[in-house]
């Protein structure tokens, strides 16, 4: 089994939001409520003349020690065989404990208004038919078919790199091993599998 | 100050006022049951043993209903809440409510129906109920404080504060409802609880303001909370200062006001809600984006 992870190179991100759009299209996330599985933050820092503008793509870190998984009372949050953290919509209580527990803001409520709107848009092809807490799945269905996650495939700047962290020949494993790609807040001990180059 | 520069504060949106009500009702329910058992078992105070337990059960039932119908996005899926008893605080909350409620039920039953087989087990059921009731505010406080994601909550002082606060309301409510019993004893209990409240609050302040490794992130939420009218008036004045002054006045002058205990209980109830609601409201995620 693989241990999928991602490297996000902030040096190359141009803030085009193509990843957010691709994800929303692929996964029917409720963009109409400004809720996203992945989004690109536009951060301005500093004071004139020393200012900077930075784009930071954010996404579920698919942690190895996920706070959202241990706190979930119904085990709706689970880890699949490839180490990705997924949600079983059928048993999710909607208690939002996972939202509170996630240090990376990766989750949101797919509420009844969002479900209704999604049905209105997608009809029988709707992927979200019940209220639940939603999050990134690393596009496991695409990955099963040998494709990359939608956000990775669509990125024009090769900012997002996806692969098997256990495969020493993969680009992600090499970047992580080199030390150039680092996890955010490793002190929280959640062991994220998304790494950043900045 | 590179760390401070890269912190992004965003108010948490997961827990709102229904959870504060749940924590308050559940905490008081648990404290009421524990207190009723102790007062009945040790001091043979029957009305408290009977009706006090029933009040505690009612509060637990109410807390459960608030959680299920006002907080959960999918109330019917509450049946799955025991799936993760190993690590989930919510699962433990459910277990404790069930144990305390069930134990209290069998403890109270002999007041109404004579079941000889139950007599011998009464102490056992009462003890289970009291222990689970005592643990509820601790575990529910732990549920909030366990995750590292909201620094303001991430302190072992939070369960202690919830526990003391829950007992504060109950200690005042028992004499308010059932008559003071021993007035001096009731006042001393009250004062002890208020002092404990003050000490835990002092611990909170010291933790955020003076600890050498004081988390900058937690201090942010704490300062935001401290500045708010709801916290200043709701918790500090109504929930803490007023009961302290009233209790102290009554104890030291010997002038036991007829409305004194009722006012103490009500003030602490308001303060208890203000405390929980303000703490939840000012929980800020601190997102670690590199810029």
């Amino acid at each position: 089994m693989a241990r999928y992870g991602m490297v996000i190179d902030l040096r190359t991100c141009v803030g085009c939001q193509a990843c957010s759009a691709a994800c929303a299209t692929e996964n029917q996330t409720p963009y109409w409520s400004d809720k996203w599985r992945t989004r690109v933050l536009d951060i301005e820092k500093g004071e004139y003349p020393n200012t900077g503008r930075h784009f930071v793509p954010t996404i579920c870190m698919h942690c190895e020690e996920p706070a959202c998984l241990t706190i979930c009372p119904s085990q709706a949050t689970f880890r699949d065989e490839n180490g990705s953290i997924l949600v079983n919509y059928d048993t999710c209580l909607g208690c939002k404990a996972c939202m509170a527990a996630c240090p990376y803001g990766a989750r949101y409520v797919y509420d009844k208004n969002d479900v209704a709107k999604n049905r209105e848009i997608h009809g029988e092809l709707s992927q979200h038919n019940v209220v639940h807490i939603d999050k990134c799945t690393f596009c496991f269905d695409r990955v099963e078919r040998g494709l990359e996650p939608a956000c990775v495939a669509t990125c024009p700047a090769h900012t997002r790199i996806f692969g098997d962290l256990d495969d020493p020949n993969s680009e992600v494993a090499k970047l992580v091993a080199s030390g150039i790609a680092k996890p955010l807040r490793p002190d929280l001990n959640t062991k994220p599998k998304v790494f950043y180059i900045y | 100050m590179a760390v401070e520069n890269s912190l992004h504060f965003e108010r948490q949106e997961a827990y709102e006022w229904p959870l504060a009500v749940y924590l308050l009702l559940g905490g008081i329910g648990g404290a009421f049951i524990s207190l009723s058992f102790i007062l009945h078992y040790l001091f043979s105070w029957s009305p408290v043993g009977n009706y006090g337990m029933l009040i505690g059960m009612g509060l637990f039932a109410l807390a459960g209903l608030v959680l299920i119908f006002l907080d959960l996005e999918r109330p019917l899926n509450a049946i799955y809440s025991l799936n993760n008893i190993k690590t989930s605080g919510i699962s433990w909350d459910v277990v404790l409510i069930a144990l305390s409620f069930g134990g209290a039920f069998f403890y109270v039953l002999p007041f109404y129906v004579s079941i000889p087989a139950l007599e011998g087990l009464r102490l056992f059921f009462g003890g289970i109920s009291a222990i689970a009731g005592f643990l509820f505010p601790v575990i529910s406080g732990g549920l909030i404080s366990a995750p590292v994601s909201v620094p303001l909550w991430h302190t072992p002082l939070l369960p202690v504060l919830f526990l003391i606060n829950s007992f504060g309301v109950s200690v005042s409510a028992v004499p308010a409802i059932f008559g003071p019993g021993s007035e001096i004893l009731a006042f001393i209990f009250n004062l002890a609880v208020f002092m404990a409240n003050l000490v835990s609050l002092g611990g909170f302040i010291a933790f955020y303001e003076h600890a050498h490794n004081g988390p900058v992130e937690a201090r942010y939420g704490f300062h935001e909370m401290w500045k708010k009218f709801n916290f200043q008036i709701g918790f500090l004045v109504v929930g803490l200062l007023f009961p302290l002054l009233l209790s102290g006045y009554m104890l030291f002058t010997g002038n036991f006001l007829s409305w004194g205990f009722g006012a103490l209980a009500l003030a602490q109830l308001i303060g208890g809600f203000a405390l929980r609601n303000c703490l939840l409201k000012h929980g800020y995620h601190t997102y670690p984006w590199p810029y």
Side-chain angles (χ1 to χ4, degrees), chain A residues 41 43 45 54 58 70-75 89-90 92-97 100-105 131 185 198, chain B residues 5 8 14-15 71-74 77 80-84 87-88 90-91 147-150 217 285 287-291:
Chain A
L41 304 177
I43 299 171
K45 278 275 173 184
H54 309 280
T58 68
T70 49
I71 207 166
C72 176
S74 65
Q75 290 191 327
Y89 300 167
D90 292 333
C92 176
L93 272 64
C95 67
K96 296 163 284 201
C102 175
Y104 304 103
V131 173
R185 289 295 299 268
Y198 52 95
Chain B
N5 285 338
H8 296 261
Y15 297 147
D71 187 57
L72 294 189
E73 296 289 331
R74 291 174 73 187
N77 275 9
Y80 298 119
S81 59
L82 286 173
N83 280 9
N84 190 10
T87 58
S88 172
I90 295 176
S91 296
V148 293
S149 57
V150 181
E217 303 99 313
H285 287 293
Y287 296 134
W289 318 130
Y291 298 109

Side-chain angles (χ1 to χ4, degrees), chain A residues 34-86:
Chain A
D34 196 22
K35 297 172 183 172
W36 309 85
R37 286 185 181 181
T38 186
R39 57 190 174 135
V40 181
L41 304 177
D42 187 342
I43 299 171
E44 288 178 33
K45 278 275 173 184
E47 284 177 23
Y48 180 82
N50 301 313
T51 56
R53 189 177 177 198
H54 309 280
F55 300 110
V56 182
T58 68
I59 192 171
C60 169
M61 306 280 166
H62 293 275
C63 306
E64 303 210 46
E65 301 287 343
C68 59
L69 189 140
T70 49
I71 207 166
C72 176
S74 65
Q75 290 191 327
T77 297
F78 65 101
R79 192 195 319 266
D80 77 357
E81 65 270 21
N82 293 319
S84 302
I85 306 301
L86 306 179

Side-chain angles (χ1 to χ4, degrees), chain A residues 5-12 158-165 167-183 194-198:
Chain A
M6 188 182 284
V7 169
I8 297 177
D9 188 347
L10 299 184
R11 299 169 307 181
T12 61
H158 196 51
T159 293
R160 296 179 184 239
I161 304 141
F162 180 78
D164 183 0
L165 292 165
D167 174 5
N169 295 318
S170 71
E171 194 179 352
V172 283
K174 284 177 186 168
L175 286 167
V176 172
S178 72
I180 189 174
K182 292 171 280 198
V194 173
F195 301 82
Y196 284 78
I197 303 174
Y198 52 95

Side-chain angles (χ1 to χ4, degrees), chain B residues 157 160-161 164 195-205:
Chain B
L157 286 168
V160 176
L161 199 58
I164 291 168
M195 291 306 173
N197 248 317
L198 279 178
V199 169
S200 358
L201 191 71
F204 242 79
I205 295 167

